[in-house]
């Protein structure tokens, strides 16, 4: 495993396992146990995924020492604001059966995320959260939050994959010492990612799949990745990306796949904002 060191000195695995869209509790528990048995130590969940309890059960059953795991969850829009956020974080800790979180993110830059952030800063100071950060904060929201708060977010988790590489946004994050983390490292398979010709051509050189090339590319760019799969063979495949190195020529080929736009939705599109904020009411 390779690691990144966050802006407060916390060590974070560069590859983890995400549990979005694994709503069934039994399935999620099994998946997380499988992922841990494969070697994943970073688990990424969220209040909104409805599976924190399942993740907590799997952590307990795994018998892996707490200090070897890196657990992330996220505060949902409906829990925004100082008091609400604090309460919801306590609930998340209970569901996860943990007494501290390694990383806590604000899931979306909507509702009273200032209040949420200040609750997170307080819990960070109390030692209940080892690192705090944000998700889906594009440069405008990120800079705004940093200008008026004490603690610089350690992480910004944003949609990042070969078709949306976030080069410009990452430059801003680097300027302020914020580590980029990718959600949707495979773009959930959109744009036929798994059969992309460029990724296939590069993969053939190393006897690696398109999925492995896509992850390796992000890792070599210093991006933390949290691929999701419910399939143990794929979990193994996605974990097996540290025994090869893409050449400069490969990297230069893959950079051309960047469309510099979301494969899902834009946080600047009013209809999308209406939809997402509607989910948090
Ligand atoms: N902060 C946010 O707003 C946000 C948003 C989205 C996601 N996330 C986080 O990021 C994580 C990853 O993103 P994601 O789950 O949206 O999508 P993703 O990891 O880009 O893609 C997951 C999809 O790829 C398939 N897959 C996985 N490995 C594969 C392989 N080796 N070969 C072929 N297919 C493969 C999975 O199918 P199978 O499961 O059937 O294998 C699933 O359909 C999430 O789980 C979540 O933790 C955060």
């Amino acid at each position: 495993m390779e690691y990144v060191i966050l802006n407060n000195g916390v060590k974070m695995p560069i590859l983890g396992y995400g549990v979005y869209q694994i709503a069934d509790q039994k399935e999620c528990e099994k998946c997380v146990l499988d992922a841990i048995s494969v070697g994943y130590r970073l688990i990424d969940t969220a209040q909104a995924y409805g599976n924190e309890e399942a993740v907590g059960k799997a952590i307990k059953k795994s018998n892996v020492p707490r200090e070897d795991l890196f657990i992330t969850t996220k505060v949902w829009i409906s829990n925004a604001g100082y008091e609400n956020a604090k309460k919801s974080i306590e609930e998340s800790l209970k569901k996860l059966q943990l007494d501290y979180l390694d990383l806590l993110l604000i899931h979306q830059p909507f509702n009273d995320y200032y209040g949420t952030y200040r609750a997170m800063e307080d819990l960070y100071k109390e030692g209940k959260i080892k690192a705090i950060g944000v998700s889906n904060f594009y440069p405008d929201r990120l800079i705004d939050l940093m200008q008026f708060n004490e603690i610089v977010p350690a992480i910004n988790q944003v949609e990042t994959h070969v078709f949306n590489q976030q080069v410009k946004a990452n430059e801003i994050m680097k300027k302020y010492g914020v580590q980029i983390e990718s959600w949707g490292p495979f773009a959930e398979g959109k744009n036929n990612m798994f059969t992309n010709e460029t990724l296939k051509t590069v993969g053939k050189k190393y006897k690696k799949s398109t999925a492995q090339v896509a992850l390796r590319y992000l890792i070599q760019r210093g991006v933390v990745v949290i691929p999701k799969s419910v399939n143990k063979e794929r979990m193994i495949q996605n974990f097996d990306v540290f025994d090869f190195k893409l050449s400069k020529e490969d990297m230069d080929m893959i950079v051309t796949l960047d469309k510099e736009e979301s494969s899902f939705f834009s946080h600047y599109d009013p209809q999308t904002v209406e939809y997402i904020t509607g989910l948090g009411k």
Side-chain angles (χ1 to χ4, degrees), residues 107-149:
H107 205 145
Q108 296 282 353
F110 303 126
N111 203 354
D112 180 13
Y113 58 82
Y114 262 80
T116 304
Y117 199 72
R118 288 181 180 145
M120 288 162 62
E121 285 184 324
D122 285 354
L123 291 169
Y124 172 75
K125 287 177 193 161
E126 284 172 28
K128 286 213 162 165
I129 312 167
K130 303 294 176 195
I132 60 174
V134 294
S135 178
N136 298 302
F137 275 54
Y138 288 92
D140 57 330
R141 294 295 90 214
L142 183 66
I143 292 170
D144 167 55
L145 188 80
M146 288 188 297
Q147 293 288 21
F148 302 105
N149 284 293

Side-chain angles (χ1 to χ4, degrees), residues 18 20 44 135-136 157 184 186 188 228-230 234 237-238:
Y20 179 42
D44 182 274
S135 178
N136 298 302
Q157 186 184 109
F186 303 136
E188 292 181 9
K228 169 259 175 187
S229 177
V230 293
R234 286 176 178 168
Q237 186 191 126
N238 298 343

Side-chain angles (χ1 to χ4, degrees), residues 11-163:
K11 192 174 158 193
M12 177 180 191
I14 201 162
L15 172 74
Y17 178 69
V19 297
Y20 179 42
Q21 290 170 333
I22 318 180
D24 181 82
Q25 298 294 313
K26 281 275 160 236
E27 186 183 22
C28 182
E29 186 183 325
K30 182 185 178 299
C31 283
V32 174
L33 269 170
D34 281 349
I36 292 174
S37 75
V38 167
Y40 293 86
R41 291 295 176 264
L42 155 57
I43 310 293
D44 182 274
T45 182
Q47 293 172 349
Y49 301 168
N51 55 19
E52 287 174 314
E53 274 166 352
V55 172
K57 282 185 187 161
I59 292 170
K60 192 131 214 202
K61 277 194 188 161
S62 76
N63 282 325
V64 171
R66 173 67 186 95
E67 62 274 18
D68 292 349
L69 295 167
F70 190 103
I71 308 300
T72 305
T73 193
K74 314 182 192 84
V75 179
W76 187 234
I77 305 168
S78 52
N79 293 326
Y82 189 90
E83 292 300 336
N84 275 345
K86 250 193 164 169
K87 214 168 79 197
S88 80
I89 297 161
E90 293 296 345
E91 278 166 19
S92 287
L93 281 166
K94 242 186 237 155
K95 286 180 182 169
L96 287 161
Q97 303 186 51
L98 299 176
D99 52 17
Y100 72 90
L101 292 165
D102 295 278
L103 176 66
L104 180 69
L105 306 177
I106 299 180
H107 205 145
Q108 296 282 353
F110 303 126
N111 203 354
D112 180 13
Y113 58 82
Y114 262 80
T116 304
Y117 199 72
R118 288 181 180 145
M120 288 162 62
E121 285 184 324
D122 285 354
L123 291 169
Y124 172 75
K125 287 177 193 161
E126 284 172 28
K128 286 213 162 165
I129 312 167
K130 303 294 176 195
I132 60 174
V134 294
S135 178
N136 298 302
F137 275 54
Y138 288 92
D140 57 330
R141 294 295 90 214
L142 183 66
I143 292 170
D144 167 55
L145 188 80
M146 288 188 297
Q147 293 288 21
F148 302 105
N149 284 293
E150 191 189 328
I151 298 171
V152 175
I155 284 277
N156 188 11
Q157 186 184 109
V158 290
E159 177 195 341
T160 311
H161 44 75
V162 294
F163 304 118

